[in-house]
Amino acid sequence: MSNIPTPVKGARHIAENLSLYEPLRVPHFEFQVVFEQGELLLPTAEPEEDDNEFIDPNLASDVLRLTIENAPVPSYTTNSIQVWHGNVQTHFAGKPSYNSPLSMTVKEYIGRSSRQILRAWQNLVFNIKTQEMGLKASYAKTGYLIEYAPDWTPVTVYKLYNCYPEGVTVAEGNQESDADMKKNTISLVYDYFEEVEYNNPLPTVANN
């Protein structure tokens, strides 16, 4: 019993160590995807035309960074291997599994359309006009989920490897709605993640 710590009966440990116990706020985060030059074709374009307009990759990254409303934190669990011997069961750690895909809500603006970016990215996976599947080397991207302190100092950076949209759901129209903002949903698959050091600026075009 001597190893049990003395109960902390108040909040003095917080008051005397403010820099250590500053709460991490829920809305202080950004999610960024790194795209390449000349790969995000406007969804309205015809793929076989030579003068097609491509979306600037840095603009695409900024649109998603500034319109994503919620982004689940990547995590993983280890499956359990159960072994019986006689009347007793014991457990061993099995294979890991990640919480992929992540479901993210993305706000829709007229001048900066998240739907346009998401559809262009999804077309790299499967192009609905050409009916062709893309190669993973073309559609899988690097993503960064960054959590910030209240003064926007980076606290945690999660690097997501080989992420791509499994599905994009565009918000429906509703005549009875009280002028709600349209919000789209992306189901984002990733292979695995790591916590990494923050580098300012984060990798951008062809530098990830």
Side-chain angles (χ1 to χ4, degrees), residues 55-132:
I55 303 171
D56 178 83
N58 290 323
L59 172 63
S61 293
D62 270 350
V63 169
L64 293 185
R65 180 174 66 88
L66 298 174
T67 58
I68 286 185
E69 181 177 87
N70 78 291
V73 175
S75 62
Y76 69 95
T77 59
T78 51
N79 298 320
S80 179
I81 300 174
Q82 302 175 4
V83 178
W84 283 90
H85 185 79
N87 295 322
V88 179
Q89 184 186 57
T90 187
H91 299 267
F92 296 87
K95 294 182 179 180
S97 58
Y98 296 88
N99 64 335
S100 174
L102 302 176
S103 180
M104 299 181 177
T105 303
V106 190
K107 299 175 183 177
E108 177 69 7
Y109 293 97
I110 295 175
R112 288 287 184 263
S113 173
S114 63
R115 174 200 54 78
Q116 188 178 71
I117 305 301
L118 295 175
R119 286 294 191 213
W121 188 10
Q122 190 179 32
N123 280 341
L124 297 180
V125 182
F126 175 74
N127 191 300
I128 58 176
K129 290 189 175 182
T130 65
Q131 301 293 296
E132 294 176 351

Side-chain angles (χ1 to χ4, degrees), residues 124-183:
L124 297 180
V125 182
F126 175 74
N127 191 300
I128 58 176
K129 290 189 175 182
T130 65
Q131 301 293 296
E132 294 176 351
M133 294 292 299
L135 300 177
K136 188 172 181 178
S138 299
Y139 60 73
K141 304 301 173 186
T142 303
Y144 295 90
L145 175 62
I146 312 164
E147 296 179 329
Y148 296 94
D151 62 355
W152 293 100
T153 300
V155 177
T156 311
V157 180
Y158 300 95
K159 185 176 182 179
L160 282 70
Y161 291 85
N162 300 329
C163 54
Y164 66 91
E166 181 183 63
V168 176
T169 303
V170 178
E172 66 178 13
N174 188 340
Q175 295 284 2
E176 301 299 320
S177 174
D178 293 330
D180 289 337
M181 184 176 193
K182 288 198 72 172
K183 298 176 183 179

